[in-house]
Amino acid sequence: MNNPIPYGRQNITEEDIEAVVSTLKSDYLTQGPKIDEFEEAFAAYVGSKYAVAVSNGTAALHLCALALKVQPGDKVITTPITFAASANCVRYCGGEVVFADIDPETYLLDIDKVRQLLENAPKGSYKGIIPVDFAGRAIDLEAFRKLADEFGLWIIEDACHAPGGYFHDSKKEKQFCGNGKFADLAIFSFHPVKHLASGEGGMVTTNDQELYEKLLQLRTHGIVKDEKRYKNTPSFANGLEKSQYSILDTQDYPQWYMEMQELGYNYRLTDFQAALGSSQLKRADDGLEKRRAIASRYQEAFENKNFIKGQSGVIEGHAYHLYVIEVEDRLGLYNCLREHKIFTQIHYIPCHLMPYYQDLGWREGDLPVAEQYYKNCISLPMFPTLRNEELDFVIDCVKNFYQR
Ligand SMILES: *Cc1c(COP(=O)(O)O)cnc(C)c1O
């Protein structure tokens, strides 16, 4: 009998362990040099100017929503076929989530549905769009940018599934997920099922310096430690007598001085997690290659099979966090694979049908394409250390189930 085969699995090498251990022996457990190293290497990897490491992908989303000043009542559009955090970040700020349906071919947020929503609402009611590079397929952000500009919206790209993914823009140039060219902000997660693991961890990338500085501040309690940006002016600058000086200053700002200027959070990543992330990043391209090879095998094995109603396929630039197939009798297949210790997963139960969002008024029938997709979808094992024998076993089990 085979070992259990999950749908995704992290890969920790001796080199990773060494990187963590050496950080544990260093002077910094958090807020040290490993954070800067990881941020620089990650920004270089995705092609963005700036990167901000945070405690997880959900914190990354929350910081983005805060930096873009989502207010109670602001409407933001996202896809229902995503992890709930993509939508929840809007709710953290009191905004309203509006789900738009997906494209049945790409499984990504359907730009035509988004346009319909925008055109049918009074101008200014929507503030932003959160497209997701679902399963690792890069969404055409150039098209979304055009649409967003038409309506004055911002874009947060949820690129958790797609480090290393890209699409070709209208000039046939590769645009990597999270490169900051079209989205205002992009976010990644380093949860163990994702491409890179740091235990928990996340990253925001951007090309916008102002947003970058805002994110740094919000990541650490809203605290500023930069004389040029202080809000309390020293008393002498206001022409006061020494006896009238505020207790906050003497002659000048003392060394210990800092200001909490807005309500921030502690969303920092630790240095040993950053060391693990950096170490994993060195193997990112190898992992991507392996994922793409696995996708090719699935595609070939299931091409022209009548039990397959749709599949992720072989798409250039796809980062293959997931390999999704759509099948008949999905529950039967899921249970049969479980009996063979192949633990597949369903991505995702449509977000709008979660009780929390149903309480906000969403109902079955609201997003028919996403709901139809959900009935048939199943994510097959997809991770770089999946061995060829295991892959063959998965493929055989799927085929045998339908050929009984
Ligand atoms: C994993 C994931 C998140 C959240 O990341 P965490 O690090 O688990 O908080 C957000 N969006 C998507 C699409 C994800 O897959």
Side-chain angles (χ1 to χ4, degrees):
M1 199 57 185
N2 60 303
N3 289 323
I5 307 175
Y7 84 90
R9 175 193 276 152
Q10 77 271 23
N11 175 28
I12 302 291
T13 63
E14 282 306 317
E15 200 183 5
D16 291 342
I17 293 167
E18 177 45 40
V20 173
V21 169
S22 75
T23 309
L24 289 173
K25 291 176 179 166
S26 78
D27 287 341
Y28 293 93
L29 288 189
T30 192
Q31 294 281 82
K34 292 295 165 193
I35 297 289
D36 295 340
E37 268 172 41
F38 188 30
E39 289 177 342
E40 267 169 44
F42 196 83
Y45 182 67
V46 301
S48 68
K49 269 195 195 153
Y50 307 106
V52 178
V54 295
S55 46
N56 56 65
T58 305
L61 282 160
H62 188 194
L63 287 188
C64 289
L66 290 165
L68 292 166
K69 303 194 170 67
V70 174
Q71 303 291 317
D74 287 355
K75 288 185 174 184
V76 176
I77 300 171
T78 192
T79 167
I81 299 301
T82 185
F83 184 60
S86 315
N88 295 350
C89 65
V90 176
R91 299 296 303 145
Y92 295 156
C93 299
E96 186 187 330
V97 179
V98 179
F99 296 102
D101 216 338
I102 61 165
D103 176 319
E105 297 296 320
T106 63
Y107 311 148
L108 304 175
L109 186 60
D110 184 338
I111 194 164
D112 295 328
K113 301 282 168 53
V114 175
R115 175 175 283 285
Q116 272 171 26
L117 282 172
L118 296 174
E119 283 176 350
N120 292 327
K123 220 168 165 89
S125 30
Y126 286 93
K127 301 294 184 209
I129 312 173
I130 307 181
V132 179
D133 301 307
F134 171 70
R137 184 164 179 159
I139 197 160
D140 180 352
L141 282 180
E142 187 183 31
F144 271 94
R145 182 77 263 172
K146 265 195 208 137
L147 180 63
D149 285 347
E150 230 179 281
F151 289 87
L153 311 186
W154 48 253
I155 296 175
I156 301 172
E157 176 188 10
D158 183 336
C160 282
H161 295 184
Y166 63 84
F167 71 96
H168 285 285
D169 69 11
S170 52
K171 298 191 191 95
K172 302 270 176 279
E173 279 173 29
K174 282 184 189 177
Q175 297 294 344
F176 282 86
C177 296
N179 72 359
K181 178 118 181 240
F182 301 110
D184 298 86
L185 296 162
I187 71 110
F188 295 87
S189 162
F190 309 123
H191 181 278
V193 298
K194 308 289 162 73
H195 285 52
L196 311 176
S198 69
E200 297 281 353
M203 192 75 82
V204 185
T205 58
T206 184
N207 289 348
D208 184 316
Q209 189 181 352
E210 210 173 303
L211 287 173
Y212 169 65
E213 283 169 5
K214 194 82 179 160
L215 292 166
L216 292 180
Q217 190 174 325
L218 289 164
R219 176 176 68 179
T220 300
H221 309 283
I223 286 175
V224 172
K225 212 168 174 358
D226 173 5
E227 199 159 314
K228 292 189 287 296
R229 292 168 57 205
Y230 289 156
K231 292 194 168 169
N232 288 328
T233 49
S235 303
F236 70 84
N238 295 331
L240 296 178
E241 296 292 323
K242 252 206 163 104
S243 61
Q244 296 170 301
Y245 275 16
S246 154
I247 58 159
L248 288 180
D249 59 73
T250 49
Q251 186 62 31
D252 213 332
Y253 298 111
Q255 275 301 309
W256 65 74
Y257 193 75
M258 52 85 174
E259 290 183 354
M260 193 206 95
Q261 295 189 343
E262 67 185 321
L263 195 59
Y265 296 80
N266 176 356
Y267 281 164
R268 293 188 298 259
L269 192 69
T270 65
D271 260 44
F272 48 96
Q273 287 173 303
L276 180 53
S278 289
S279 182
Q280 294 248 314
L281 187 58
K282 291 181 192 150
R283 297 196 305 278
D285 285 335
D286 290 347
L288 211 49
E289 210 173 293
K290 192 75 209 296
R291 286 173 185 274
R292 286 175 176 152
I294 294 168
S296 297
R297 291 287 308 282
Y298 280 139
Q299 151 79 19
E300 231 170 76
F302 300 137
E303 205 168 17
N304 306 320
K305 294 280 183 287
N306 59 1
F307 51 86
I308 295 288
K309 305 173 103 187
Q311 60 174 328
S312 289
V314 174
I315 310 288
E316 198 197 327
H318 201 307
Y320 294 106
H321 166 55
L322 306 172
Y323 195 90
V324 176
I325 57 174
E326 293 173 88
V327 295
E328 259 153 50
D329 189 13
R330 188 260 312 270
L331 178 62
L333 177 64
Y334 175 86
N335 285 332
C336 170
L337 292 175
R338 272 185 84 88
E339 279 165 28
H340 291 89
K341 293 206 275 175
I342 298 166
F343 298 97
T344 60
Q345 196 37 287
I346 305 306
H347 298 94
Y348 288 95
I349 300 170
C351 207
H352 68 291
L353 299 181
M354 290 294 167
Y356 174 78
Y357 284 102
Q358 291 215 34
D359 284 348
L360 293 168
W362 291 91
R363 289 291 176 270
E364 195 170 331
D366 286 345
L367 301 164
V369 182
E371 291 165 20
Q372 179 60 38
Y373 161 82
Y374 167 66
K375 282 187 210 161
N376 303 320
C377 69
I378 182 165
S379 304
L380 299 177
M382 169 59 86
F383 50 92
T385 53
L386 183 66
R387 291 183 289 117
N388 283 336
E389 311 87 80
E390 292 175 317
L391 181 55
D392 288 340
F393 181 61
V394 173
I395 289 169
D396 286 345
C397 285
V398 174
K399 283 183 177 169
N400 290 340
F401 176 76
Y402 288 102
Q403 281 158 11
R404 281 179 315 188

